[in-house]
Amino acid sequence: MTGDLRRSSPRAHAWGAGSGTTPEARLRQRLPTLDDVERRARRRIPRFAFDFLEGGTGGDLNAQRNRLALDAVELVPRYGNPAPVRTDIELFGVHCAAPIGISPVGVDGIIWPGATRILARAAGKARIPYIAGTLATAAIEEVAELAGPYAWFQLYGLPANDHAVTLDLIKRASAAGVRVLAATLDAPVRSKRPRDLRNGLVVPFRPTPRTILDVALSPPWLLALARAGTPAFRNMERYVEKPATLANTAGFVQSQIKGTFSWDVLKRMRDAWPGALVVKGVMHPDDAEMAIAVGVDGILVSNHGGRQFDAAPAAIDVLPAIVAKVGARATVLFDSGIRSGLDVARALALGARGTFAGRAFLLGLGALGERGAAYVAAMLKEELETAMGQLGAHSPDALAQLTSRHRHAFDFA
Ligand SMILES: Cc1cc2nc3c(=O)[nH]c(=O)nc-3n(C[C@H](O)[C@H](O)[C@H](O)COP(=O)(O)O)c2cc1C
């Protein structure tokens, strides 16, 4: 498989087919699904970092609900009209190879050292959007250079000094050439993540004998660390009192980031940001309506991958009601639970224009290092092509015309 999705064709790369003699073909036989990628990643990432990636909040119920709900969406194939499948779409004026992007994963360098740069590079090559986080481990300027027009920037609210840092980050992203800003709405409080507490993954971080042992038992991760250096909050360093050590920056981040912001602050972001503005973490049609009133261009339906509120519905179950409310007034996007190209097809069939995945891409890095993001991008795209071919849907738009059954769709009436 190649990291360049432009060259992947379903015929040449049919998943599981082929001679099996090249290293790439053998890899595809060993890791045909994200579950296989995940098993390999689990062996190569230190336990505390793997738990940080995989965990939800509370009892992980919302994360599980995301998965169960996606699995339950049924799509009815249509036959008799064969034609080549096209997955490309346009998002906010940028032509993308597939309706699949990379969600922001804060402190990604803990999960795989160097992750932000690897993801940015992979997104640029694969021509898919990458939403680099406020808490990414490379600065937005560097991400924009690596990912080109596919670089998006995720913003948390930093209310101190009348949002001075928020507004400066907006200026920096714009100056770096980023075209899409995704403001995260759905983290009003720091959620309780028992796995991280049990593993001592808290600020200030003090390694315990067990974390040291976990690291010692993860040589590929250590090698990546040696190559990439200690992860740091690169976007934040310039706002921290000197010396901007990791501990100082982590303390600053923890004290400054106040999660969600009011609609008034979103309006200020709107006024300050010249590009497309997406609001990330919408779960209620009325919140989508509020965001549209502020002037956003996109609504990213998401429950943060089940990491914020355990009693929340599955994100896929609120998608149709939000799509119905928004209509053509904004671009509706989706994340939370995507693990296959079939999941992407499900979300598009229920009205999303594009989808994103967080854990899937980081698992790719854990399993395969540098080439892992490209591997997962190509896997998801090829699975999507296969699903579309089977469904008789020749384009992403055609997926939205299919007949689907979605028993647990949330009713807001
Ligand atoms: C380890 C981890 C860290 C995350 N950090 C952020 C973040 O800093 N900002 C944000 O908006 N979302 C964050 N998210 C949520 C993702 O952007 C995305 O909504 C979620 O991962 C989608 O679910 P999925 O992992 O099932 O694809 C994080 C998710 C994970 C797993």
Side-chain angles (χ1 to χ4, degrees):
M1 188 190 346
T2 164
D4 185 343
L5 295 186
R6 272 167 291 196
R7 282 178 299 176
S8 79
S9 90
R11 199 174 286 279
H13 289 290
W15 205 261
S19 69
T21 52
T22 65
E24 275 189 6
R26 282 198 296 274
L27 190 56
R28 291 150 54 98
Q29 286 173 1
R30 272 174 42 221
L31 306 178
T33 69
L34 195 71
D35 286 350
D36 302 290
V37 170
E38 182 177 44
R39 268 190 291 278
R40 185 172 156 87
R42 185 190 287 272
R43 293 198 303 271
R44 291 162 44 98
I45 302 177
R47 166 82 185 275
F48 67 89
F50 189 82
D51 275 354
F52 169 61
L53 174 64
E54 294 265 281
T57 184
D60 288 350
L61 299 177
N62 194 213
Q64 288 165 21
R65 195 171 297 123
N66 281 335
R67 275 308 321 153
L68 292 172
L70 272 162
D71 282 343
V73 174
E74 299 162 68
L75 306 176
V76 185
R78 298 296 309 273
Y79 300 120
N81 187 21
V85 163
R86 297 190 53 151
T87 61
D88 56 308
I89 57 161
E90 191 159 311
L91 280 181
F92 307 117
V94 176
H95 195 244
C96 303
I100 301 164
I102 307 174
S103 299
V105 167
V107 217
D108 53 3
I110 292 185
I111 301 157
W112 195 258
T116 304
R117 280 192 209 104
I118 300 173
L119 293 171
R121 225 177 277 125
K125 267 193 163 177
R127 297 187 299 127
I128 58 171
Y130 168 41
I131 315 179
T134 299
L135 303 181
T137 46
I140 188 58
E141 289 82 0
E142 194 180 351
V143 169
E145 230 178 272
L146 293 170
Y150 305 100
W152 297 16
F153 183 56
Q154 176 266 327
L155 192 61
Y156 273 127
L158 296 107
N161 299 330
D162 195 26
H163 279 276
V165 174
T166 314
L167 295 170
D168 193 57
L169 284 167
I170 288 178
K171 256 197 215 138
R172 284 173 58 190
S174 174
V178 172
R179 300 177 190 203
V180 187
L181 183 72
T184 298
L185 188 67
D186 64 358
V189 294
R190 197 161 299 125
S191 70
K192 184 167 177 174
R193 307 215 173 111
R195 296 195 205 198
D196 296 346
L197 293 170
R198 282 186 208 111
N199 290 330
L201 198 62
V202 292
V203 176
F205 180 57
R206 290 204 184 83
T208 63
R210 208 185 102 194
T211 45
I212 293 166
L213 183 67
D214 279 350
V215 167
L217 292 173
S218 311
W221 185 92
L222 271 173
L223 211 65
L225 183 71
R227 242 183 254 133
T230 309
F233 300 100
R234 297 283 179 220
N235 284 318
M236 292 293 140
E237 282 170 337
R238 67 173 70 177
Y239 310 116
V240 179
E241 266 184 43
K242 302 292 173 271
T245 58
L246 186 56
N248 280 356
T249 322
F252 173 83
V253 164
Q254 186 149 64
S255 66
Q256 295 293 304
I257 290 195
K258 291 287 183 267
T260 199
F261 32 77
S262 65
W263 299 115
D264 287 344
V265 170
L266 188 65
K267 177 79 174 77
R268 286 177 67 191
M269 293 179 186
R270 170 70 293 176
D271 293 343
W273 176 251
L277 179 64
V278 171
V279 63
K280 176 175 183 286
V282 173
M283 288 290 287
H284 196 294
D286 291 350
D287 283 349
E289 192 64 46
M290 295 298 287
I292 286 172
V294 165
V296 303
D297 305 283
I299 306 277
L300 177 38
V301 175
S302 166
N303 58 24
H304 220 103
R307 293 167 70 81
Q308 282 300 124
F309 185 54
D310 229 10
I316 197 74
D317 287 346
V318 300
L319 175 66
I322 294 174
V323 167
K325 184 87 165 193
V326 169
R329 293 178 296 162
T331 301
V332 179
L333 305 165
F334 173 83
D335 84 14
S336 294
I338 296 275
R339 284 179 70 94
S340 69
L342 176 55
D343 290 336
V344 175
R346 287 175 163 131
L348 265 59
L350 296 180
R353 174 103 186 114
T355 66
F356 288 81
R359 294 182 181 90
F361 286 96
L362 271 298
L363 288 170
L365 299 194
L368 296 169
E370 288 268 346
R371 60 186 171 151
Y375 188 85
V376 169
M379 184 173 84
L380 294 178
K381 181 170 182 275
E382 290 177 17
E383 288 172 351
L384 173 63
E385 287 166 344
T386 304
M388 289 171 72
Q390 186 70 36
L391 286 162
H394 309 134
S395 68
D397 284 343
L399 281 166
Q401 311 304 319
L402 290 170
T403 304
S404 60
R405 183 155 62 177
H406 186 190
R407 287 199 181 94
H408 300 293
F410 218 80
D411 184 3
F412 288 89

